[in-house]
Each structure stands twice: as C-alpha cells, then as structure tokens.
Amino acid sequence: MDSTDYAELALRLANADLTDLDRLRAALHDEPWWSERVHEQDLAVLRTVAAGLRDALDALLAGVADQAQDAVNALLERHPPRPRLSGHGPQWHVHVAGPDAPPATEVAAAAAWGLAQGVVLHGMDRWGRCEAAGCGTYFLDTSTNRAKRFCSARCANRVHVAAFRARRRG
C-alpha cells in the first residue's frame, strides 16, 4: 500500500457501518490480509478509530485547522505507525506495523497515517461530504476543478435525475 491507499482506507473506515464483524470485514474487503484476521476485539478498537477519523474529517470540512490538526495528531499518538520495509516477490512496500501486530493495530495506524498524509498532500479544502440526501459519505476531491459534490456517480445521478423530474413536473 502507499499513502494514497492509506488515505482511501481512512475514508473507508470513517464511512463504514461497524455494527458487527461482518460489516467490518466488508469494509476491509480490499485488504484480505486484514479482513480475514479481524475479531470482535478489533471491531471495538476500530469503532473508536472511525469516530476519531470522523472528528478529524468534520474539522477539515469546517475549515478549523487547529481542531483538524489536534484530531489527526490524537489519532497518530494513539495509533502510531511503526514502519517496516517489506518485500513480497519483486514488490517492495512499507507496512505500518510489525508482522505480528493484531489487525486493528495495523488498520488503525494505516488509517491515521493515511489521513495525515492526505492532509499533507491535498490540504484542507479537498475533503468533502456527499450532498445527496441521506448519504453523507466522506470523500477526497481530487478533481481538477475542485467541484466534487457527491461521493459517487450513483449519488450524483440520483440527485440529478430527481431534479430533472421535479423540473418536468413543475
């Protein structure tokens, strides 16, 4: 994984429904090395991490730099990355926890590091929350014009079709 992947993990965890272990595993489906090993105790830890991520994202969205910095630093302090160089075949990469760390330890460190690196790479004004009614999913706007309003094409299409139909009726 690289910093971009870690930022995506942070968003996925912040947006995840962590009501049970199956939903946590679904949120981590892109990382089978974590999803296949998580247990109930990991779920409890990652619920707290997700809440901290949402606090930091809300501060970013509100444009409150000091609060965002404090929230991200609190995550990093509670879940510090412990980088380890790893090579699997021809690919070299960095893990953010030791090889024997519980999944929650590595996921938490990766998410905290990803959010921090996302702020470093993209600043405060690239973070958003979906404007579709009932959604509210956090996202990172990497569009060239910084005009992203929805988390996905699905939400955007739903809003645009509803607006189109309302105009045709009215």
Side-chain angles (χ1 to χ4, degrees):
M1 293 183 83
D2 63 22
S3 292
T4 303
D5 295 330
Y6 289 142
E8 290 172 10
L9 171 67
L11 288 167
R12 206 166 350 115
L13 192 57
N15 291 322
D17 174 357
L18 299 179
T19 54
D20 61 39
L21 197 53
D22 287 336
R23 291 175 193 257
L24 171 60
R25 287 182 175 135
L28 298 174
H29 72 279
D30 288 345
E31 297 87 18
W33 54 91
W34 292 330
S35 64
E36 294 171 2
R37 296 185 304 130
V38 291
H39 299 288
E40 287 295 327
Q41 63 269 25
D42 299 309
L43 179 60
V45 170
L46 294 175
R47 281 182 183 140
T48 303
V49 173
L53 292 166
R54 289 188 294 272
D55 289 344
L57 288 163
D58 288 340
L60 289 167
L61 293 173
V64 185
D66 291 345
Q67 187 178 349
Q69 181 179 351
D70 290 347
V72 172
N73 282 336
L75 283 165
L76 288 167
E77 186 174 327
R78 283 191 302 269
H79 310 286
R82 293 180 176 90
R84 301 285 186 269
L85 182 63
S86 180
H88 303 288
Q91 290 277 333
W92 289 92
H93 57 275
V94 175
H95 288 273
V96 295
D100 296 328
T105 299
E106 189 166 8
V107 172
W113 181 251
L115 186 56
Q117 285 297 301
V119 172
V120 168
L121 294 172
H122 302 288
M124 288 184 57
D125 61 342
R126 291 289 192 146
W127 304 90
R129 197 141 192 212
C130 187
E131 293 180 17
C135 183
T137 297
Y138 295 101
F139 61 83
L140 177 59
D141 181 359
T142 57
S143 66
T144 54
N145 64 356
R146 299 179 186 213
K148 188 171 178 177
R149 296 176 38 219
F150 305 101
C151 66
S152 64
R154 181 176 177 235
C155 279
N157 289 341
R158 192 172 69 238
V159 169
H160 293 128
V161 167
F164 172 78
R165 289 179 179 160
R167 285 192 304 273
R168 296 234 4 202
R169 280 192 301 266

